[in-house]
Amino acid sequence: MRIGILGSGQVGQALARGYGRHGHDVVVGTRQAAVGDLAVARPEDAVRGADLVVLAVRGDAAVELVGSLAGPLDGTVLVDATNPLDASAGAPRLFVGHTDSLGEQVQRAAPGARVVKAYNTVGNALMVDPQLPGGPPTMFIGGDDEAAKATVAGLLRDTGWDVVDLGGIEASRWLEPMCMAWVAHGVRTGTWGHAFRLLRPEV
Ligand SMILES: NC(=O)c1ccc[n+]([C@@H]2O[C@H](COP(=O)([O-])OP(=O)(O)OC[C@H]3O[C@@H](n4cnc5c(N)ncnc54)[C@H](OP(=O)(O)O)[C@@H]3O)[C@@H](O)[C@H]2O)c1
């Protein structure tokens, strides 16, 4: 697949390198002139012609960026990896929740994009080909477009994930707080190699 990644931070780079290892053609859409040896472009150029785009920017920049790319993103599968983190007052907190979510705000900013929430409940080091003693961890996803979710689920399974679909994009209301549980375990133990797995009878 031709994959555009918006954001060249930890997540953008981890996904770009991981997808590259799987043979995908990856372009990082960034304001930076260069990001190591990765192929980079302006965000609008990284989106154009992509089969799938991953949103991997700071939560507080997500809505404005996606809104500015709403035209080019029309009809595109947009994987939203962001979390609505606000660390301005010390310990991070979520700047939206309960009755709305960043995933829903991203979908509203680009109504024609086929938004799928994914990747927000795990650290970037495990995002592609996670290796854990308990077997493949679970990536929880949500989104309103079934075909887009099938595409994302296929990409996730190909890159080492068990996938659980929690429903529409409003599932972001439950997935975004899950990132705080992931962070809390890391802070308490000083380790960052953990991931969630949903144990269920049918698997
Ligand atoms: N770090 C993780 O392990 C992890 C795990 C799950 C989810 N997430 C979420 O994934 C997202 C990216 O996290 P990260 O750790 O990769 O962040 P990061 O390393 O701090 O990088 C921040 C990214 O945000 C972009 N950005 C910042 N301000 C921007 C603006 N005004 N307009 C457009 N882009 C802007 C930057 O884009 P440029 O390339 O243009 O500089 C940069 O790529 C966040 O929402 C985070 O909550 C992170």
Side-chain angles (χ1 to χ4, degrees):
M1 277 196 286
R2 159 93 201 277
I3 299 178
I5 297 179
L6 296 171
S8 66
Q10 294 183 65
V11 173
Q13 291 192 39
L15 289 177
R17 295 188 198 288
Y19 292 153
R21 286 196 302 274
H22 280 264
H24 296 291
D25 176 14
V26 183
V27 178
V28 177
T30 176
R31 303 164 301 174
Q32 312 301 324
V35 182
D37 58 350
L38 296 172
V40 297
R42 292 179 309 168
E44 56 272 34
D45 294 326
V47 165
R48 217 164 265 119
D51 301 307
L52 179 147
V53 172
V54 182
L55 179 65
V57 300
R58 279 173 50 143
D60 59 3
V63 167
E64 188 180 342
L65 178 65
V66 168
S68 74
L69 297 173
L73 283 169
D74 200 32
T76 304
V77 177
L78 178 63
V79 180
D80 174 21
T82 64
N83 279 311
L85 294 180
D86 171 10
S88 60
R93 63 179 191 89
L94 300 177
F95 63 71
V96 60
H98 298 292
T99 56
D100 196 8
S101 62
L102 188 52
E104 289 163 280
Q105 292 181 354
V106 164
Q107 180 65 84
R108 291 199 295 272
R114 302 158 69 202
V115 179
V116 179
K117 193 84 189 180
Y119 289 114
N120 75 300
T121 56
V122 71
N124 65 88
L126 288 179
M127 286 182 174
V128 180
D129 300 321
Q131 300 292 327
L132 288 163
T138 302
M139 186 68 78
F140 298 95
I141 67 172
D144 294 338
D145 186 304
E146 296 300 326
K149 282 193 290 192
T151 299
V152 175
L155 177 65
L156 287 165
R157 291 192 184 101
D158 286 349
T159 52
W161 287 92
D162 169 51
V163 179
V164 166
D165 178 358
L166 291 183
I169 192 61
E170 70 278 5
S172 305
R173 295 179 195 182
W174 332 128
L175 291 176
E176 289 165 6
M178 277 178 72
C179 94
M180 302 299 273
W182 187 90
V183 169
H185 181 72
V187 169
R188 288 177 65 84
T189 61
T191 63
W192 301 96
H194 50 285
F196 295 109
R197 177 163 178 83
L198 188 71
L199 300 177
R200 52 203 193 277
E202 68 269 25
V203 174

